[in-house]
Amino acid sequence: MTREAARERYLDALVAGNRRAAFEVIDEAHEAGFTLRELYLDVFQPVMRDIGRLWQENRITVADEHLATAITQAAMARLYDELFHGAALPGPLLIAACTDQERHELGLRMICDVLEMEGWDTLFLGATVPTDDLVRMVRERRPQVVALSASIAPHLARVADTIRSIREAVPVDGPLIAVGGRPFLDDPSLAERLGADMTARDAVEAAERLKEKFAA
Ligand code: B12
């Protein structure tokens, strides 16, 4: 199966709201040799962006989009079950959170899954995490990296506040702070301006950059 065929069939299944068909495409692609990274970056990510475009163009409804998102989350969870077994490696710890009010969590989840495959230990907190609670967890667990995600511009001020709060809470030997999401794709220099240490365009680039920084 080619990437184009996998994408096309997966998009058709999502638009039809057919979870079974969507899982079948992923299973076939996986059997045909697609790796987890390829499924994430060449199928889920572009197809979810297509879903966003169809929604913006009023060709599908918000209900259709919600169903498509739920199916993709289920497809990712199934892969996770299949691909990750055995004891966790004692790799670096990363805490991943969407800042308060931010509900786009799929991209960040991909980052965590790809890093887990590289031997990292990740804590995925998901959507809309209250800043104070996140800061408290960072202070207690002392991760090597905090990954923050924001997909819409109105949430960027909160990303900057969260970064400031983390740095204040752990002033010495604090975590590396990575940020990402849609606004950073358009303007990567935003990351530094908000006070972060790095950004990346996708889960594989994020894993590569982090690996370089934490190479033994
Ligand atoms: C699904 C979805 C939703 C779902 C999210 C559900 C969920 N559980 O995640 C729901 C319904 C909640 C939602 C809500 C809204 N959404 Co929405 N949504 C989407 C959609 C269709 C897909 C998002 C997605 O999963 N993309 C696929 C992932 C894999 O890509 P990604 O997020 O970019 O992540 C990758 C990189 O950015 C990077 N990355 C991401 N995070 C991080 C973090 C770090 C540290 C690093 C290094 C890298 C990194 O790596 C990721 C993986 O490779 C997009 C369309 C799109 N183009 O993305 C719209 C989209 C993002 N949404 C949009 C809008 C407008 C909204 C709403 C404001 C709509 C409304 N009026 O209510 C709300 C805002 C909600 C909120 N408070 O956050 C717009 C944003 C437009 C803009 N210019 O800002 C988009 C682009 C749709 C559109 N075309 O109009 N949405």
Side-chain angles (χ1 to χ4, degrees):
M1 193 190 304
T2 63
R3 284 164 199 220
E4 288 70 29
R7 271 203 287 270
E8 208 171 296
R9 285 181 53 197
Y10 189 68
L11 178 62
D12 287 347
L14 290 193
V15 171
N18 188 336
R19 186 166 63 150
R20 216 175 280 271
F23 288 177
E24 269 167 28
V25 180
I26 299 306
D27 289 346
E28 277 180 44
H30 192 210
E31 274 158 30
F34 282 55
T35 61
L36 177 101
R37 286 154 175 253
E38 287 165 344
L39 289 172
Y40 277 21
L41 285 198
D42 298 335
V43 184
F44 295 146
Q45 179 169 290
V47 171
M48 285 310 296
R49 289 180 180 163
D50 287 343
I51 290 289
R53 189 177 37 77
L54 294 174
W55 165 27
Q56 196 176 20
E57 292 168 358
N58 278 324
R59 288 163 63 194
I60 61 169
T61 66
V62 170
D64 296 327
E65 170 282 317
H66 279 24
L67 183 54
T69 304
I71 292 173
T72 298
Q73 283 176 319
M76 285 168 64
R78 271 174 94 240
L79 282 171
Y80 188 93
D81 270 356
E82 196 178 318
L83 294 171
F84 300 87
H85 27 71
L89 298 168
L93 174 66
L94 172 141
I95 292 183
C98 295
T99 43
D100 209 357
Q101 311 290 324
E102 175 61 59
R103 292 175 55 206
H104 299 90
E105 61 184 355
L106 227 92
L108 194 60
R109 167 74 198 276
M110 285 191 186
I111 295 201
C112 288
D113 286 359
V114 169
L115 281 168
E116 288 264 333
M117 290 212 67
E118 305 278 347
W120 284 59
D121 191 5
T122 69
L123 299 177
F124 172 69
L125 310 183
T128 187
V129 181
T131 308
D132 289 350
D133 295 350
L134 172 63
V135 168
R136 186 170 170 179
M137 184 182 273
V138 170
R139 211 172 29 222
E140 286 169 5
R141 295 192 180 241
R142 304 300 297 263
Q144 276 83 359
V145 180
V146 175
L148 301 173
S149 189
S151 286
I152 56 174
H155 294 164
L156 293 175
R158 201 167 284 110
V159 172
D161 282 350
T162 307
I163 294 172
R164 228 183 344 262
S165 303
I166 293 172
R167 301 231 192 263
E168 278 168 19
V170 194
V172 180
D173 292 334
L176 180 137
I177 303 182
V179 289
R182 253 186 85 83
F184 303 93
L185 302 181
D186 298 335
D187 179 7
S189 73
L190 201 55
E192 201 178 321
R193 281 188 276 133
L194 297 183
D197 299 306
M198 63 162 270
T199 185
R201 301 189 59 79
D202 58 49
V204 168
E205 190 181 294
E208 272 160 16
R209 294 221 171 139
L210 286 170
K211 226 163 48 185
E212 277 165 27
K213 290 185 188 287
F214 289 89

